[in-house]
Amino acid sequence: MKTVVYQSYRTSNVAPWITRCMESVKSWSILNGFEYRFIDDRIFDYVPSSYKEKARNNMLLMTDLGRLELARELLDEGFERTVWVDADVIIFNPPKFSVDIKEDFAFCREVWIHHPKLFGVTLPITRCNFKVNNAVSVFTASSTMLDSYRMSCHSLVENMPRVFDPGFVSTTYLTSLHKQNPLPLLTNVALLSPLVLHDLANGGGRYARLFMEKFAYPVYAANLCSTMNNGKHMGIRIHNGMYDGVINRLLETKGGILNQYLPR
């Protein structure tokens, strides 16, 4: 199947760990004989000004639509399958990572391990939420979901409530759809919350174990959630050094640091 893998990110002030992530995706694409394309901030040229205004120029909301518009353009160009991969996704076991699907589209299974908040106070309990995200999104030429999703993005942003949610047309929307009618999901991409990132940076731990117990599938790639960088989340300071440490451990073990906790 003629496949193109595409990504987008800025070209200045790029953290080295982000570059490592994108290089892993490019190498994986070459390994599989896929075409690879990088689009810089030109991705925002695919987003109408009216959408940008409603989205308050939020990069996440704009990129959510931009990747879909690019997928449509690439399919119209003649590709049979498009694979979008977020710039902060590291593929740490390329030979085993696959996007071959039975359906004509797929998003990602998400397990979010966190400490909930009550009235702004982080509680000393652990919760696990099951969601759907678009960190890796696959569409084939026969997919009707692509155009349906594109139109939904416009409609959702046009009617977006005052309470601002940068995941309004991605995780929030896709999770809601999935609850109504299960969507096809990739089950080999982990999304790592601060608690799990901290565990992995330190060699493993109970949150990494809990994550794998709940995720229940072997993983060969991971979304590292760059939006949390340079901030404090769940009492954990997230920084470039932590990301580099996590990437090192994932690559050195080919994901074994996570998959060791997979239920037998």
Side-chain angles (χ1 to χ4, degrees):
M1 181 177 288
K2 188 179 179 182
T3 300
V4 59
V5 177
Y6 65 113
Q7 298 186 282
S8 175
Y9 203 70
R10 61 178 180 265
T11 53
S12 61
N13 299 316
V14 180
W17 72 268
I18 288 284
T19 300
R20 294 176 74 188
C21 287
M22 290 192 291
E23 286 176 347
S24 78
V25 174
K26 185 175 182 179
S27 296
W28 169 78
S29 303
I30 294 171
L31 177 67
N32 285 277
F34 302 153
E35 183 162 337
Y36 176 84
R37 293 194 186 178
F38 172 79
I39 301 93
D40 54 20
D41 284 344
R42 289 176 294 116
I43 191 172
F44 301 125
D45 294 342
Y46 289 83
V47 181
S49 56
S50 57
Y51 184 100
K52 292 178 181 177
E53 183 178 351
K54 282 286 187 176
R56 308 174 206 177
N57 286 315
N58 181 271
M59 287 192 295
L60 295 179
L61 287 168
M62 292 190 296
T63 304
D64 284 331
L65 176 62
R67 72 186 68 183
L68 300 177
E69 298 296 349
L70 272 164
R72 170 44 59 205
E73 179 176 278
L74 291 166
L75 290 173
D76 289 345
E77 185 179 320
F79 288 101
E80 298 171 284
R81 178 173 59 178
T82 63
V83 183
W84 163 273
V85 185
D86 279 0
D88 54 358
V89 169
I90 181 77
I91 298 177
F92 47 80
N93 194 333
K96 290 192 175 183
F97 182 63
S98 173
V99 292
D100 292 336
I101 54 176
K102 295 180 180 179
E103 297 83 356
D104 55 16
F105 73 94
F107 300 108
C108 292
R109 172 179 170 81
E110 176 179 325
V111 170
W112 185 253
I113 305 295
H114 66 112
H115 294 317
K117 285 187 176 183
L118 182 63
F119 304 118
V121 177
T122 299
L123 303 178
I125 56 177
T126 304
R127 289 285 183 265
C128 172
N129 290 346
F130 294 89
K131 302 180 182 182
V132 174
N133 69 66
N134 60 347
V136 180
S137 302
V138 182
F139 295 101
T140 69
S142 62
S143 174
T144 59
M145 177 61 177
L146 174 58
D147 291 329
S148 173
Y149 190 10
R150 288 168 61 213
M151 291 185 288
S152 293
C153 281
H154 286 280
S155 176
L156 287 164
V157 167
E158 178 66 28
N159 297 286
M160 191 165 58
R162 288 181 177 272
V163 179
F164 191 73
D165 173 11
F168 191 57
V169 300
S170 55
T171 303
T172 301
Y173 173 63
L174 294 174
T175 302
S176 176
L177 276 186
H178 186 65
K179 289 178 179 177
Q180 298 170 35
N181 188 25
L183 302 171
L185 303 179
L186 297 172
T187 58
N188 51 14
V189 185
L191 185 140
L192 307 179
S193 73
L195 296 176
V196 182
L197 284 171
H198 184 265
D199 266 5
L200 297 184
N202 290 281
R206 66 188 183 98
Y207 296 115
R209 180 185 296 277
L210 177 61
F211 172 83
M212 290 306 297
E213 287 175 352
K214 298 298 184 181
F215 197 81
Y217 296 92
V219 293
Y220 308 117
N223 180 349
L224 304 182
C225 298
S226 62
T227 55
M228 300 183 299
N229 198 11
N230 298 317
K232 192 172 184 179
H233 305 269
M234 304 179 208
I236 297 168
R237 180 68 62 182
I238 308 295
H239 53 85
N240 288 329
M242 174 180 283
Y243 284 117
D244 272 319
V246 170
I247 289 174
N248 288 341
R249 291 184 181 275
L250 287 169
L251 290 174
E252 289 166 1
T253 65
K254 295 183 179 179
I257 192 172
L258 268 176
N259 291 321
Q260 65 178 326
Y261 298 121
L262 190 67
R264 301 298 179 183

PDB file of all heavy atoms in Angstrom, residues 209-239:
ATOM      1  N   ARG A 209       4.014   0.286  36.149  1.00  0.00           N
ATOM      2  CA  ARG A 209       3.365  -1.022  36.274  1.00  0.00           C
ATOM      3  C   ARG A 209       1.849  -0.885  36.120  1.00  0.00           C
ATOM      4  O   ARG A 209       1.219  -1.644  35.375  1.00  0.00           O
ATOM      5  CB  ARG A 209       3.703  -1.650  37.622  1.00  0.00           C
ATOM      6  CG  ARG A 209       3.043  -3.032  37.829  1.00  0.00           C
ATOM      7  CD  ARG A 209       3.306  -3.550  39.232  1.00  0.00           C
ATOM      8  NE  ARG A 209       4.719  -3.779  39.468  1.00  0.00           N
ATOM      9  CZ  ARG A 209       5.378  -4.865  39.107  1.00  0.00           C
ATOM     10  NH1 ARG A 209       4.731  -5.842  38.470  1.00  0.00           N
ATOM     11  NH2 ARG A 209       6.670  -4.989  39.365  1.00  0.00           N
ATOM     12  N   LEU A 210       1.276   0.086  36.824  1.00  0.00           N
ATOM     13  CA  LEU A 210      -0.172   0.296  36.738  1.00  0.00           C
ATOM     14  C   LEU A 210      -0.583   0.641  35.309  1.00  0.00           C
ATOM     15  O   LEU A 210      -1.599   0.139  34.813  1.00  0.00           O
ATOM     16  CB  LEU A 210      -0.590   1.410  37.688  1.00  0.00           C
ATOM     17  CG  LEU A 210      -2.072   1.805  37.652  1.00  0.00           C
ATOM     18  CD1 LEU A 210      -2.958   0.625  38.046  1.00  0.00           C
ATOM     19  CD2 LEU A 210      -2.329   3.003  38.574  1.00  0.00           C
ATOM     20  N   PHE A 211       0.224   1.467  34.656  1.00  0.00           N
ATOM     21  CA  PHE A 211      -0.090   1.834  33.272  1.00  0.00           C
ATOM     22  C   PHE A 211      -0.200   0.593  32.388  1.00  0.00           C
ATOM     23  O   PHE A 211      -1.170   0.417  31.649  1.00  0.00           O
ATOM     24  CB  PHE A 211       0.971   2.780  32.708  1.00  0.00           C
ATOM     25  CG  PHE A 211       0.808   3.041  31.237  1.00  0.00           C
ATOM     26  CD1 PHE A 211      -0.082   4.001  30.787  1.00  0.00           C
ATOM     27  CD2 PHE A 211       1.516   2.299  30.294  1.00  0.00           C
ATOM     28  CE1 PHE A 211      -0.269   4.225  29.434  1.00  0.00           C
ATOM     29  CE2 PHE A 211       1.342   2.511  28.937  1.00  0.00           C
ATOM     30  CZ  PHE A 211       0.450   3.481  28.506  1.00  0.00           C
ATOM     31  N   MET A 212       0.801  -0.275  32.453  1.00  0.00           N
ATOM     32  CA  MET A 212       0.806  -1.447  31.589  1.00  0.00           C
ATOM     33  C   MET A 212      -0.288  -2.445  31.968  1.00  0.00           C
ATOM     34  O   MET A 212      -0.856  -3.118  31.098  1.00  0.00           O
ATOM     35  CB  MET A 212       2.170  -2.123  31.608  1.00  0.00           C
ATOM     36  CG  MET A 212       3.262  -1.320  30.903  1.00  0.00           C
ATOM     37  SD  MET A 212       2.853  -0.859  29.188  1.00  0.00           S
ATOM     38  CE  MET A 212       2.716  -2.471  28.402  1.00  0.00           C
ATOM     39  N   GLU A 213      -0.597  -2.539  33.240  1.00  0.00           N
ATOM     40  CA  GLU A 213      -1.691  -3.414  33.665  1.00  0.00           C
ATOM     41  C   GLU A 213      -3.009  -2.951  33.054  1.00  0.00           C
ATOM     42  O   GLU A 213      -3.843  -3.761  32.639  1.00  0.00           O
ATOM     43  CB  GLU A 213      -1.787  -3.432  35.188  1.00  0.00           C
ATOM     44  CG  GLU A 213      -0.657  -4.211  35.860  1.00  0.00           C
ATOM     45  CD  GLU A 213      -0.710  -4.109  37.372  1.00  0.00           C
ATOM     46  OE1 GLU A 213      -1.521  -3.310  37.893  1.00  0.00           O
ATOM     47  OE2 GLU A 213       0.065  -4.828  38.039  1.00  0.00           O
ATOM     48  N   LYS A 214      -3.197  -1.638  32.981  1.00  0.00           N
ATOM     49  CA  LYS A 214      -4.437  -1.090  32.435  1.00  0.00           C
ATOM     50  C   LYS A 214      -4.412  -1.019  30.905  1.00  0.00           C
ATOM     51  O   LYS A 214      -5.438  -1.217  30.260  1.00  0.00           O
ATOM     52  CB  LYS A 214      -4.688   0.313  33.003  1.00  0.00           C
ATOM     53  CG  LYS A 214      -4.864   0.341  34.522  1.00  0.00           C
ATOM     54  CD  LYS A 214      -6.074  -0.475  34.953  1.00  0.00           C
ATOM     55  CE  LYS A 214      -6.309  -0.371  36.452  1.00  0.00           C
ATOM     56  NZ  LYS A 214      -7.481  -1.179  36.894  1.00  0.00           N
ATOM     57  N   PHE A 215      -3.240  -0.745  30.338  1.00  0.00           N
ATOM     58  CA  PHE A 215      -3.149  -0.643  28.878  1.00  0.00           C
ATOM     59  C   PHE A 215      -3.319  -2.018  28.236  1.00  0.00           C
ATOM     60  O   PHE A 215      -4.008  -2.173  27.228  1.00  0.00           O
ATOM     61  CB  PHE A 215      -1.808  -0.028  28.473  1.00  0.00           C
ATOM     62  CG  PHE A 215      -1.795   0.480  27.062  1.00  0.00           C
ATOM     63  CD1 PHE A 215      -2.323   1.719  26.750  1.00  0.00           C
ATOM     64  CD2 PHE A 215      -1.263  -0.288  26.030  1.00  0.00           C
ATOM     65  CE1 PHE A 215      -2.323   2.194  25.440  1.00  0.00           C
ATOM     66  CE2 PHE A 215      -1.262   0.163  24.715  1.00  0.00           C
ATOM     67  CZ  PHE A 215      -1.790   1.410  24.428  1.00  0.00           C
ATOM     68  N   ALA A 216      -2.637  -3.006  28.817  1.00  0.00           N
ATOM     69  CA  ALA A 216      -2.846  -4.430  28.487  1.00  0.00           C
ATOM     70  C   ALA A 216      -2.377  -4.871  27.102  1.00  0.00           C
ATOM     71  O   ALA A 216      -2.755  -5.944  26.639  1.00  0.00           O
ATOM     72  CB  ALA A 216      -4.324  -4.802  28.674  1.00  0.00           C
ATOM     73  N   TYR A 217      -1.564  -4.072  26.424  1.00  0.00           N
ATOM     74  CA  TYR A 217      -0.982  -4.442  25.133  1.00  0.00           C
ATOM     75  C   TYR A 217       0.496  -4.070  25.118  1.00  0.00           C
ATOM     76  O   TYR A 217       0.888  -3.065  25.726  1.00  0.00           O
ATOM     77  CB  TYR A 217      -1.669  -3.701  23.976  1.00  0.00           C
ATOM     78  CG  TYR A 217      -3.130  -4.039  23.777  1.00  0.00           C
ATOM     79  CD1 TYR A 217      -4.130  -3.284  24.400  1.00  0.00           C
ATOM     80  CD2 TYR A 217      -3.516  -5.091  22.942  1.00  0.00           C
ATOM     81  CE1 TYR A 217      -5.476  -3.586  24.211  1.00  0.00           C
ATOM     82  CE2 TYR A 217      -4.860  -5.388  22.745  1.00  0.00           C
ATOM     83  CZ  TYR A 217      -5.833  -4.636  23.379  1.00  0.00           C
ATOM     84  OH  TYR A 217      -7.163  -4.935  23.195  1.00  0.00           O
ATOM     85  N   PRO A 218       1.329  -4.821  24.417  1.00  0.00           N
ATOM     86  CA  PRO A 218       2.731  -4.415  24.285  1.00  0.00           C
ATOM     87  C   PRO A 218       2.836  -3.132  23.477  1.00  0.00           C
ATOM     88  O   PRO A 218       2.064  -2.926  22.530  1.00  0.00           O
ATOM     89  CB  PRO A 218       3.375  -5.601  23.554  1.00  0.00           C
ATOM     90  CG  PRO A 218       2.248  -6.283  22.850  1.00  0.00           C
ATOM     91  CD  PRO A 218       1.044  -6.103  23.721  1.00  0.00           C
ATOM     92  N   VAL A 219       3.760  -2.272  23.853  1.00  0.00           N
ATOM     93  CA  VAL A 219       3.905  -0.985  23.174  1.00  0.00           C
ATOM     94  C   VAL A 219       5.299  -0.876  22.549  1.00  0.00           C
ATOM     95  O   VAL A 219       6.284  -1.355  23.116  1.00  0.00           O
ATOM     96  CB  VAL A 219       3.641   0.195  24.124  1.00  0.00           C
ATOM     97  CG1 VAL A 219       2.177   0.210  24.554  1.00  0.00           C
ATOM     98  CG2 VAL A 219       4.545   0.132  25.354  1.00  0.00           C
ATOM     99  N   TYR A 220       5.346  -0.221  21.390  1.00  0.00           N
ATOM    100  CA  TYR A 220       6.596  -0.085  20.645  1.00  0.00           C
ATOM    101  C   TYR A 220       6.884   1.368  20.286  1.00  0.00           C
ATOM    102  O   TYR A 220       7.886   1.660  19.625  1.00  0.00           O
ATOM    103  CB  TYR A 220       6.547  -0.939  19.389  1.00  0.00           C
ATOM    104  CG  TYR A 220       6.163  -2.371  19.686  1.00  0.00           C
ATOM    105  CD1 TYR A 220       4.988  -2.935  19.183  1.00  0.00           C
ATOM    106  CD2 TYR A 220       6.971  -3.168  20.505  1.00  0.00           C
ATOM    107  CE1 TYR A 220       4.639  -4.253  19.471  1.00  0.00           C
ATOM    108  CE2 TYR A 220       6.624  -4.484  20.808  1.00  0.00           C
ATOM    109  CZ  TYR A 220       5.460  -5.012  20.283  1.00  0.00           C
ATOM    110  OH  TYR A 220       5.108  -6.310  20.586  1.00  0.00           O
ATOM    111  N   ALA A 221       6.000   2.262  20.704  1.00  0.00           N
ATOM    112  CA  ALA A 221       6.176   3.696  20.495  1.00  0.00           C
ATOM    113  C   ALA A 221       5.471   4.420  21.641  1.00  0.00           C
ATOM    114  O   ALA A 221       4.611   3.834  22.309  1.00  0.00           O
ATOM    115  CB  ALA A 221       5.584   4.132  19.152  1.00  0.00           C
ATOM    116  N   ALA A 222       5.848   5.668  21.869  1.00  0.00           N
ATOM    117  CA  ALA A 222       5.234   6.403  22.984  1.00  0.00           C
ATOM    118  C   ALA A 222       5.110   7.886  22.662  1.00  0.00           C
ATOM    119  O   ALA A 222       6.028   8.494  22.105  1.00  0.00           O
ATOM    120  CB  ALA A 222       6.041   6.219  24.267  1.00  0.00           C
ATOM    121  N   ASN A 223       3.963   8.437  23.012  1.00  0.00           N
ATOM    122  CA  ASN A 223       3.735   9.874  22.954  1.00  0.00           C
ATOM    123  C   ASN A 223       4.204  10.452  24.287  1.00  0.00           C
ATOM    124  O   ASN A 223       3.674  10.091  25.346  1.00  0.00           O
ATOM    125  CB  ASN A 223       2.245  10.146  22.717  1.00  0.00           C
ATOM    126  CG  ASN A 223       1.920  11.617  22.631  1.00  0.00           C
ATOM    127  OD1 ASN A 223       2.743  12.461  22.942  1.00  0.00           O
ATOM    128  ND2 ASN A 223       0.707  11.933  22.207  1.00  0.00           N
ATOM    129  N   LEU A 224       5.168  11.373  24.247  1.00  0.00           N
ATOM    130  CA  LEU A 224       5.773  11.894  25.470  1.00  0.00           C
ATOM    131  C   LEU A 224       5.149  13.196  25.958  1.00  0.00           C
ATOM    132  O   LEU A 224       5.607  13.772  26.951  1.00  0.00           O
ATOM    133  CB  LEU A 224       7.279  12.084  25.257  1.00  0.00           C
ATOM    134  CG  LEU A 224       8.027  10.816  24.801  1.00  0.00           C
ATOM    135  CD1 LEU A 224       9.521  11.112  24.672  1.00  0.00           C
ATOM    136  CD2 LEU A 224       7.796   9.659  25.761  1.00  0.00           C
ATOM    137  N   CYS A 225       4.121  13.683  25.277  1.00  0.00           N
ATOM    138  CA  CYS A 225       3.344  14.844  25.754  1.00  0.00           C
ATOM    139  C   CYS A 225       4.216  16.084  25.975  1.00  0.00           C
ATOM    140  O   CYS A 225       4.399  16.545  27.106  1.00  0.00           O
ATOM    141  CB  CYS A 225       2.591  14.495  27.028  1.00  0.00           C
ATOM    142  SG  CYS A 225       1.389  13.192  26.839  1.00  0.00           S
ATOM    143  N   SER A 226       4.724  16.644  24.904  1.00  0.00           N
ATOM    144  CA  SER A 226       5.610  17.803  24.995  1.00  0.00           C
ATOM    145  C   SER A 226       4.916  19.039  25.557  1.00  0.00           C
ATOM    146  O   SER A 226       5.587  19.963  26.032  1.00  0.00           O
ATOM    147  CB  SER A 226       6.183  18.136  23.617  1.00  0.00           C
ATOM    148  OG  SER A 226       5.158  18.484  22.701  1.00  0.00           O
ATOM    149  N   THR A 227       3.581  19.081  25.524  1.00  0.00           N
ATOM    150  CA  THR A 227       2.871  20.256  26.046  1.00  0.00           C
ATOM    151  C   THR A 227       3.083  20.429  27.545  1.00  0.00           C
ATOM    152  O   THR A 227       2.825  21.504  28.091  1.00  0.00           O
ATOM    153  CB  THR A 227       1.357  20.146  25.759  1.00  0.00           C
ATOM    154  OG1 THR A 227       0.859  18.914  26.292  1.00  0.00           O
ATOM    155  CG2 THR A 227       1.085  20.195  24.265  1.00  0.00           C
ATOM    156  N   MET A 228       3.565  19.397  28.206  1.00  0.00           N
ATOM    157  CA  MET A 228       3.804  19.484  29.652  1.00  0.00           C
ATOM    158  C   MET A 228       5.209  19.977  29.974  1.00  0.00           C
ATOM    159  O   MET A 228       5.542  20.216  31.134  1.00  0.00           O
ATOM    160  CB  MET A 228       3.602  18.116  30.303  1.00  0.00           C
ATOM    161  CG  MET A 228       2.215  17.543  30.133  1.00  0.00           C
ATOM    162  SD  MET A 228       2.005  15.961  30.997  1.00  0.00           S
ATOM    163  CE  MET A 228       3.247  14.944  30.180  1.00  0.00           C
ATOM    164  N   ASN A 229       6.047  20.149  28.953  1.00  0.00           N
ATOM    165  CA  ASN A 229       7.445  20.492  29.195  1.00  0.00           C
ATOM    166  C   ASN A 229       7.590  21.843  29.897  1.00  0.00           C
ATOM    167  O   ASN A 229       6.800  22.768  29.682  1.00  0.00           O
ATOM    168  CB  ASN A 229       8.206  20.524  27.862  1.00  0.00           C
ATOM    169  CG  ASN A 229       9.701  20.441  28.053  1.00  0.00           C
ATOM    170  OD1 ASN A 229      10.191  20.157  29.154  1.00  0.00           O
ATOM    171  ND2 ASN A 229      10.445  20.686  26.986  1.00  0.00           N
ATOM    172  N   ASN A 230       8.597  21.927  30.722  1.00  0.00           N
ATOM    173  CA  ASN A 230       8.908  23.148  31.469  1.00  0.00           C
ATOM    174  C   ASN A 230       7.777  23.579  32.395  1.00  0.00           C
ATOM    175  O   ASN A 230       7.525  24.768  32.592  1.00  0.00           O
ATOM    176  CB  ASN A 230       9.267  24.295  30.508  1.00  0.00           C
ATOM    177  CG  ASN A 230      10.502  23.994  29.687  1.00  0.00           C
ATOM    178  OD1 ASN A 230      11.492  23.483  30.214  1.00  0.00           O
ATOM    179  ND2 ASN A 230      10.449  24.279  28.395  1.00  0.00           N
ATOM    180  N   GLY A 231       7.094  22.613  32.949  1.00  0.00           N
ATOM    181  CA  GLY A 231       6.030  22.898  33.902  1.00  0.00           C
ATOM    182  C   GLY A 231       6.034  21.875  35.017  1.00  0.00           C
ATOM    183  O   GLY A 231       6.793  20.907  34.996  1.00  0.00           O
ATOM    184  N   LYS A 232       5.178  22.111  36.004  1.00  0.00           N
ATOM    185  CA  LYS A 232       5.036  21.171  37.110  1.00  0.00           C
ATOM    186  C   LYS A 232       3.650  20.562  37.044  1.00  0.00           C
ATOM    187  O   LYS A 232       2.639  21.266  37.044  1.00  0.00           O
ATOM    188  CB  LYS A 232       5.255  21.879  38.449  1.00  0.00           C
ATOM    189  CG  LYS A 232       5.421  20.918  39.626  1.00  0.00           C
ATOM    190  CD  LYS A 232       5.825  21.664  40.889  1.00  0.00           C
ATOM    191  CE  LYS A 232       6.091  20.690  42.036  1.00  0.00           C
ATOM    192  NZ  LYS A 232       6.514  21.396  43.280  1.00  0.00           N
ATOM    193  N   HIS A 233       3.594  19.237  36.973  1.00  0.00           N
ATOM    194  CA  HIS A 233       2.336  18.526  36.840  1.00  0.00           C
ATOM    195  C   HIS A 233       2.294  17.380  37.842  1.00  0.00           C
ATOM    196  O   HIS A 233       3.220  16.577  37.911  1.00  0.00           O
ATOM    197  CB  HIS A 233       2.171  17.981  35.416  1.00  0.00           C
ATOM    198  CG  HIS A 233       2.286  19.024  34.352  1.00  0.00           C
ATOM    199  ND1 HIS A 233       1.197  19.704  33.868  1.00  0.00           N
ATOM    200  CD2 HIS A 233       3.373  19.517  33.691  1.00  0.00           C
ATOM    201  CE1 HIS A 233       1.598  20.568  32.948  1.00  0.00           C
ATOM    202  NE2 HIS A 233       2.915  20.467  32.822  1.00  0.00           N
ATOM    203  N   MET A 234       1.229  17.334  38.606  1.00  0.00           N
ATOM    204  CA  MET A 234       1.063  16.278  39.619  1.00  0.00           C
ATOM    205  C   MET A 234       2.263  16.227  40.568  1.00  0.00           C
ATOM    206  O   MET A 234       2.692  15.164  41.009  1.00  0.00           O
ATOM    207  CB  MET A 234       0.848  14.911  38.951  1.00  0.00           C
ATOM    208  CG  MET A 234      -0.328  14.876  37.987  1.00  0.00           C
ATOM    209  SD  MET A 234      -0.545  13.251  37.203  1.00  0.00           S
ATOM    210  CE  MET A 234      -1.308  13.730  35.657  1.00  0.00           C
ATOM    211  N   GLY A 235       2.815  17.404  40.825  1.00  0.00           N
ATOM    212  CA  GLY A 235       3.943  17.504  41.738  1.00  0.00           C
ATOM    213  C   GLY A 235       5.278  17.141  41.110  1.00  0.00           C
ATOM    214  O   GLY A 235       6.298  17.087  41.806  1.00  0.00           O
ATOM    215  N   ILE A 236       5.307  16.931  39.804  1.00  0.00           N
ATOM    216  CA  ILE A 236       6.528  16.521  39.109  1.00  0.00           C
ATOM    217  C   ILE A 236       6.974  17.618  38.152  1.00  0.00           C
ATOM    218  O   ILE A 236       6.177  18.108  37.339  1.00  0.00           O
ATOM    219  CB  ILE A 236       6.293  15.209  38.337  1.00  0.00           C
ATOM    220  CG1 ILE A 236       5.957  14.080  39.319  1.00  0.00           C
ATOM    221  CG2 ILE A 236       7.496  14.851  37.485  1.00  0.00           C
ATOM    222  CD1 ILE A 236       5.433  12.834  38.657  1.00  0.00           C
ATOM    223  N   ARG A 237       8.234  18.011  38.261  1.00  0.00           N
ATOM    224  CA  ARG A 237       8.789  19.009  37.360  1.00  0.00           C
ATOM    225  C   ARG A 237       9.210  18.330  36.054  1.00  0.00           C
ATOM    226  O   ARG A 237      10.031  17.419  36.048  1.00  0.00           O
ATOM    227  CB  ARG A 237      10.007  19.672  38.011  1.00  0.00           C
ATOM    228  CG  ARG A 237      10.681  20.733  37.158  1.00  0.00           C
ATOM    229  CD  ARG A 237       9.807  21.956  36.966  1.00  0.00           C
ATOM    230  NE  ARG A 237       9.503  22.632  38.235  1.00  0.00           N
ATOM    231  CZ  ARG A 237       8.723  23.701  38.338  1.00  0.00           C
ATOM    232  NH1 ARG A 237       8.129  24.176  37.235  1.00  0.00           N
ATOM    233  NH2 ARG A 237       8.503  24.258  39.504  1.00  0.00           N
ATOM    234  N   ILE A 238       8.604  18.755  34.954  1.00  0.00           N
ATOM    235  CA  ILE A 238       8.897  18.178  33.648  1.00  0.00           C
ATOM    236  C   ILE A 238       9.910  19.067  32.933  1.00  0.00           C
ATOM    237  O   ILE A 238       9.736  20.285  32.867  1.00  0.00           O
ATOM    238  CB  ILE A 238       7.614  18.062  32.790  1.00  0.00           C
ATOM    239  CG1 ILE A 238       6.506  17.338  33.564  1.00  0.00           C
ATOM    240  CG2 ILE A 238       7.921  17.344  31.486  1.00  0.00           C
ATOM    241  CD1 ILE A 238       6.803  15.905  33.880  1.00  0.00           C
ATOM    242  N   HIS A 239      10.954  18.483  32.400  1.00  0.00           N
ATOM    243  CA  HIS A 239      11.996  19.268  31.737  1.00  0.00           C
ATOM    244  C   HIS A 239      12.679  18.428  30.659  1.00  0.00           C
ATOM    245  O   HIS A 239      12.483  17.198  30.573  1.00  0.00           O
ATOM    246  CB  HIS A 239      13.025  19.761  32.766  1.00  0.00           C
ATOM    247  CG  HIS A 239      13.589  18.659  33.618  1.00  0.00           C
ATOM    248  ND1 HIS A 239      14.660  17.880  33.226  1.00  0.00           N
ATOM    249  CD2 HIS A 239      13.214  18.195  34.840  1.00  0.00           C
ATOM    250  CE1 HIS A 239      14.925  16.994  34.164  1.00  0.00           C
ATOM    251  NE2 HIS A 239      14.058  17.159  35.157  1.00  0.00           N
TER     252      HIS A 239
END
